[in-house]
C-alpha cells in the first residue's frame, strides 16, 4: 500500500512540475515575432550609424556589429558604405578596404567607393591597385547621368569633386611610378608629365587642394621647372593646411640653391606666397 501511494505521489508531483514548467517557460515565438525582433535590432544599429555621423569610431563599431549579426540583411550595402567612410576617417586602411570591397561586390557600378579606395591605396603607396580602381571609377563617373530632380549645379559640384579627387589620386600614382624609374629612363619624364596633368585637373576642380599643389610642385621640381615649382609650393603654403610646413621647407631649399648660383633674382618666399594668396583669393 505504501509503495502504491508513493508511486501515485510521484506521478502527481511529476504532473505538477510539468504544469509549473509550462506556466513559467515562455511560449515559442512565431516566425512573425522573430522577424519583428530582428527588424527592430537591425534598425537600432542603423540608427546608431546615422546618429554618429560625427563619431566615426562609434559608426565603425555599430557597422561591424551589424555585419556580424545581419550579413544577409537588405540594408547591408548601406552599412558597408557607411563603414567604408567611417574607417577612411579613422585612417584604418585594412577595415576601409574590407568594407569597401564588400560594398563593390554588392553594388559594382557605384563610383564613390572606388574613388575612396583608390585614394587609400595611393596614400599607402600601392600604386598598381590605386590605378586600377581610379581608372574604373573614372569610367563609371563619365558614364553617369544626372538623376531627375537633382539640380544641375548640385550635380556638377558633386561629380566635379569626385573627378578632382580621382585626378589627385592618379597624379600621385604617376608621381610614385616616376620615383621608381631611373633618371635616364624616358618613361620617368612621361610619368612626371602625366602627374602634372592630373594634379592640374585636381586644382582646377578645387583650387584649395593644398596637397595637390604641393605634389605638383614636387613633379615640377623633378622636371627642373623652377618657376612652376615655386608657384605651386607657394600656393600650398598660402592655403596653410596640412602640407604648408613641408612646402615651405622645400621652397626654402630651392631658393637657397638659386641664391648660391646667382639665379635668385627678385624672388623671395614672402613675395611668392603673397602672389599665391592673391591668385587664390585669400585675404
Amino acid at each position: 500500500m505504501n509503495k502504491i501511494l508513493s508511486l501515485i505521489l510521484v506521478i502527481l508531483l511529476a504532473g505538477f512540475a510539468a504544469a509549473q514548467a509550462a506556466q513559467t517557460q515562455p511560449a515559442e515565438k512565431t516566425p512573425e515575432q522573430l522577424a519583428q525582433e530582428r527588424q527592430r535590432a537591425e534598425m537600432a544599429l542603423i540608427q546608431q550609424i546615422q546618429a554618429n555621423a560625427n563619431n566615426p569610431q562609434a559608426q565603425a563599431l555599430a557597422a561591424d556589429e551589424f555585419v556580424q549579426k545581419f550579413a544577409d540583411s537588405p540594408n547591408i550595402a548601406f552599412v558597408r558604405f557607411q563603414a567604408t567612410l567611417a574607417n577612411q576617417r579613422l585612417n584604418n586602411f585594412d577595415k576601409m578596404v574590407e568594407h569597401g570591397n564588400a560594398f563593390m561586390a554588392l553594388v559594382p557600378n557605384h563610383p564613390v567607393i572606388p574613388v575612396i579606395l583608390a585614394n587609400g591605396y595611393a596614400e599607402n603607396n600601392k600604386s598598381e591597385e590605386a590605378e586600377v580602381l581610379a581608372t574604373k571609377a573614372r569610367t563609371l563617373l563619365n558614364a553617369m547621368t544626372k538623376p531627375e530632380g537633382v539640380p544641375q549645379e548640385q550635380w556638377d559640384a558633386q561629380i566635379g569633386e569626385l573627378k578632382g579627387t580621382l585626378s589627385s589620386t592618379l597624379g600621385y600614382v604617376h608621381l610614385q611610378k616616376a620615383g621608381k624609374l631611373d633618371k635616364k629612363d624616358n618613361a620617368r619624364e612621361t610619368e612626371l608629365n602625366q602627374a602634372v596633368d592630373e594634379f592640374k585637373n585636381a586644382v582646377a576642380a578645387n583650387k584649395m587642394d593644398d596637397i595637390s599643389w604641393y605634389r605638383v610642385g614636387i613633379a615640377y621640381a623633378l622636371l627642373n621647372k623652377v618657376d612652376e615649382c615655386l608657384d605651386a609650393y607657394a600656393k600650398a603654403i598660402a592655403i596653410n593646411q596640412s602640407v604648408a610646413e613641408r612646402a615651405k621647407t622645400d621652397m626654402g631649399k630651392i631658393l637657397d640653391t638659386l641664391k648660391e648660383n646667382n639665379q635668385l633674382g627678385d624672388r623671395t618666399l614672402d613675395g611668392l606666397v603673397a602672389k599665391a594668396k592673391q591668385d587664390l583669393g585669400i585675404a
Side-chain angles (χ1 to χ4, degrees):
M1 184 68 177
N2 288 336
K3 289 182 180 180
I4 294 173
L5 286 174
S6 297
L7 181 59
I8 292 172
L9 185 60
V10 168
I11 293 171
L12 289 173
L13 288 173
F16 177 77
Q20 286 292 99
Q23 291 176 9
T24 57
Q25 290 180 3
E28 187 175 343
K29 294 178 181 177
T30 66
E32 291 78 9
Q33 289 173 320
L34 291 172
Q36 289 173 357
E37 285 187 2
R38 172 181 168 135
Q39 186 177 27
R40 284 194 293 270
E42 283 190 38
M43 291 310 300
L45 285 171
I46 288 174
Q47 287 169 2
Q48 284 185 42
I49 292 169
Q50 293 174 323
N52 284 290
N54 296 320
N55 186 346
Q57 184 66 51
Q59 273 192 320
L61 289 173
D64 283 341
E65 183 179 350
F66 189 100
V67 169
Q68 186 177 22
K69 292 180 177 178
F70 308 117
D72 60 343
S73 168
N75 297 307
I76 193 66
F78 167 80
V79 172
R80 292 286 195 181
F81 185 92
Q82 295 298 327
T84 305
L85 299 182
N87 282 288
Q88 180 197 31
R89 293 170 63 192
L90 293 169
N91 292 317
N92 190 334
F93 175 71
D94 291 337
K95 293 294 288 185
M96 180 186 74
V97 169
E98 174 192 329
H99 287 291
N101 283 335
F103 175 85
M104 289 191 297
L106 294 165
V107 191
N109 294 323
H110 196 293
V112 172
I113 295 303
V115 170
I116 291 171
L117 291 189
N119 181 258
Y121 276 118
E123 294 300 328
N124 282 273
N125 297 311
K126 297 179 182 291
S127 57
E128 291 183 8
E129 295 92 331
E131 189 168 19
V132 169
L133 277 172
T135 302
K136 173 185 177 179
R138 180 168 279 175
T139 299
L140 292 173
L141 280 173
N142 289 337
M144 290 187 73
T145 56
K146 182 180 75 67
E148 188 175 347
V150 176
Q152 188 67 49
E153 185 177 352
Q154 179 184 344
W155 176 254
D156 290 343
Q158 291 174 344
I159 296 299
E161 181 180 352
L162 289 171
K163 287 184 175 181
T165 300
L166 271 181
S167 291
S168 182
T169 296
L170 283 167
Y172 195 33
V173 165
H174 288 300
L175 190 58
Q176 289 176 20
K177 290 168 72 175
K180 297 174 183 177
L181 297 171
D182 188 272
K183 290 183 179 180
K184 297 179 181 179
D185 191 334
N186 291 333
R188 179 176 181 269
E189 184 174 345
T190 299
E191 292 290 350
L192 289 171
N193 282 319
Q194 287 180 297
V196 167
D197 289 342
E198 292 289 359
F199 285 132
K200 286 169 71 174
N201 289 335
V203 297
N206 176 15
K207 67 179 182 179
M208 303 303 285
D209 180 358
D210 62 319
I211 293 175
S212 289
W213 279 119
Y214 175 61
R215 287 174 174 168
V216 77
I218 294 173
Y220 279 132
L222 294 172
L223 288 166
N224 294 316
K225 295 185 176 183
V226 175
D227 287 329
E228 292 90 338
C229 169
L230 291 173
D231 179 67
Y233 282 161
K235 287 185 169 67
I237 296 167
I239 294 168
N240 196 28
Q241 295 294 324
S242 60
V243 295
E245 288 304 315
R246 276 183 281 173
K248 187 179 293 185
T249 298
D250 291 352
M251 188 175 182
K253 291 177 181 178
I254 293 173
L255 293 175
D256 288 343
T257 300
L258 290 172
K259 184 177 181 180
E260 290 171 6
N261 291 293
N262 296 316
Q263 296 175 336
L264 183 60
D266 60 354
R267 301 182 187 93
T268 66
L269 191 148
D270 289 343
L272 290 165
V273 172
K275 181 180 181 302
K277 287 183 177 181
Q278 185 177 7
D279 292 343
L280 294 169
I282 298 174

